[in-house]
Amino acid sequence: HNDPIHFSRALAMQSEMMARHGKFEAALDIKSQMVLLYDVHKHTIRISQAYGSDRCGQCIAQSALWHLRLGDTKRSLEVCERVLMDLLPWMDPQNIHNGFL
């Protein structure tokens, strides 16, 4: 399916599953592929409407933890800054699942 809404969400879920299995480098590689497709301005509302929450934004936020597990505190803080400045302002504040993951 070439729709970036569904494909980027699938990559986000695959990335999360890799991280759950302790494969943080693989999770970050997959997240990097997802980020090439995902545009928060265009996709967050559509993904949330289709699936109830924006797994792509959540994946980006969770990647801060994966960087920490790999010992890269600097990159982890950069991801946190991106989430706060570039992602959360575009997400629906009523979607609590997006805001707290």
Side-chain angles (χ1 to χ4, degrees):
H1 205 320
N2 281 338
D3 188 339
I5 301 302
H6 306 294
F7 192 63
S8 61
R9 183 179 186 270
L11 287 171
M13 292 180 68
Q14 182 182 20
S15 181
E16 183 180 338
M17 289 307 300
M18 288 294 184
R20 287 183 184 192
H21 290 278
K23 299 178 179 180
F24 301 111
E25 292 94 349
L28 291 168
D29 288 343
I30 295 165
K31 185 215 63 151
S32 294
Q33 294 173 37
M34 184 269 302
V35 167
L36 295 174
L37 298 173
Y38 176 72
D39 181 340
V40 68
H41 307 107
K42 296 178 185 176
H43 301 142
T44 189
I45 292 172
R46 290 182 54 208
I47 292 171
S48 293
Q49 287 173 339
Y51 296 104
S53 66
D54 181 355
R55 284 275 185 196
C56 297
Q58 294 165 18
C59 176
I60 293 168
Q62 289 176 342
S63 74
L65 298 174
W66 309 336
H67 285 290
L68 274 180
R69 292 293 303 262
L70 294 171
D72 192 348
T73 304
K74 182 177 185 247
R75 183 69 183 125
S76 178
L77 291 172
E78 291 170 356
V79 170
C80 291
E81 181 77 15
R82 177 173 183 223
V83 169
L84 291 172
M85 302 307 287
D86 299 334
L87 297 182
L88 283 178
W90 291 97
M91 294 183 172
D92 180 0
Q94 298 296 316
N95 191 329
I96 295 170
H97 193 241
N98 282 343
F100 283 100
L101 279 182

